[in-house]
């Protein structure tokens, strides 16, 4: 029992049971398999993105997101600007307590450089239903190239617990034909 003191004080010199050694070996080998799968899926998987991260500050990132939003807003929805940036451009998405801002409207089949950063603390970017997941740390700007291949309405869900409003931190992204 772990909650009582060991009867043999020098417990680490005790012989290890064969079955325990087998389990340790299995766990170690499985660890190795998972390690190499990580490298394999980086190339062959569809969820692992070759993303980039750059240092930023909340002020600098907010300024870029606001500049894009001022220039390309096409309408408003529930108090959020809906932004239609030109294909091929850099698009910015702010994560903050507890929203994703603004609503991006992208064109199907076009590529964009999507920048995501947090203005306060850690959030999780999860684009559904295509299941792209990124950790969003304050002070870092995550960049990924996206080429949406299906039109429709996507949900951006925060999947990192970020406080009392975490469950309400759901945003939207549109992809149009
Ligand atoms: Cu943001 Cu959870």
């Amino acid at each position: 029992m772990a909650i009582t003191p060991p009867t043999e004080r020098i417990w680490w010199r005790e012989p290890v049971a064969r079955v325990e050694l087998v389990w340790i070996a299995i766990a170690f080998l499985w660890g190795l398999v998972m390690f190499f799968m990580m490298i394999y899926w980086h190339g062959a998987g569809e969820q692992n993105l070759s993303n980039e991260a750059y240092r930023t500050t909340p002020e600098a990132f907010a300024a870029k997101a606001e500049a894009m939003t001022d220039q390309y807003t096409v309408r408003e929805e529930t108090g959020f600007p809906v932004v239609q940036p030109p294909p091929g451009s850099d698009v910015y998405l702010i994560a903050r307590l507890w929203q994703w801002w603004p609503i991006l409207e992208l064109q199907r089949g076009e590529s964009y450089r999507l920048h995501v950063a947090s203005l306060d603390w850690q959030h999780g970017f999860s684009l559904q239903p295509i299941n792209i997941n990124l950790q969003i740390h304050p002070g870092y700007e995550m960049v990924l190239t996206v080429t949406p291949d299906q039109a429709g309405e996507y949900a951006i869900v925060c999947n990192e617990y970020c406080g009392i409003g975490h469950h309400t931190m759901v945003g939207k992204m549109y992809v149009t034909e």
Side-chain angles (χ1 to χ4, degrees), residues 95-100 120-124 157-163 165-167 169:
R96 65 184 170 208
L97 301 173
W98 285 281
Q99 54 182 230
W100 301 97
D120 33 57
W121 58 62
Q122 190 174 358
H123 299 281
V157 180
C158 180
N159 61 4
E160 186 69 48
Y161 182 70
C162 56
H166 163 69
H167 64 288
M169 192 168 165

Side-chain angles (χ1 to χ4, degrees), residues 12-177:
W12 61 89
R13 297 247 186 92
E14 293 293 303
V16 180
R18 194 181 155 78
V19 67
E20 195 168 0
L21 280 178
V22 169
W23 277 115
I24 290 169
I26 290 172
F28 179 73
L29 289 175
W30 185 243
L32 281 183
V33 169
M34 297 298 274
F35 177 78
F36 287 106
M37 284 301 280
M38 214 162 54
I39 298 165
Y40 171 74
W41 280 114
H42 190 75
E46 288 183 346
Q47 294 184 15
N48 288 23
L49 304 152
S50 300
N51 47 49
E52 303 154 52
Y54 302 96
R55 279 194 179 277
T56 186
T57 61
E59 297 73 30
F61 192 80
K64 287 193 277 189
E66 275 156 22
M68 172 200 74
T69 303
D70 287 347
Q71 199 172 357
Y72 300 116
T73 295
V74 289
R75 62 178 188 278
E76 291 243 330
E77 254 185 52
T78 60
F80 281 70
V82 179
V83 179
Q84 238 178 47
S89 68
D90 289 270
V91 302
Y92 299 88
L93 182 67
I94 286 176
R96 65 184 170 208
L97 301 173
W98 285 281
Q99 54 182 230
W100 301 97
W101 188 95
I103 298 175
L104 296 169
E105 188 163 274
L106 309 180
Q107 275 178 46
R108 192 177 72 85
E110 301 287 351
S111 292
Y112 301 83
R113 297 257 299 160
L114 175 63
H115 302 239
V116 192
S118 166
L119 299 194
D120 33 57
W121 58 62
Q122 190 174 358
H123 299 281
F125 172 87
S126 175
L127 187 62
Q128 300 299 336
I130 55 173
N131 203 17
I132 289 176
N133 291 282
L134 285 177
Q135 286 290 321
I136 307 302
H137 297 273
Y140 287 94
E141 180 171 341
M142 305 302 290
V143 186
L144 52 141
T145 302
V146 291
T147 312
D149 58 3
Q150 259 190 318
E153 183 182 321
Y154 294 80
I156 304 169
V157 180
C158 180
N159 61 4
E160 186 69 48
Y161 182 70
C162 56
I164 195 79
H166 163 69
H167 64 288
T168 65
M169 192 168 165
V170 181
K172 240 192 250 183
M173 182 185 284
Y174 292 112
V175 175
T176 57
E177 286 292 346

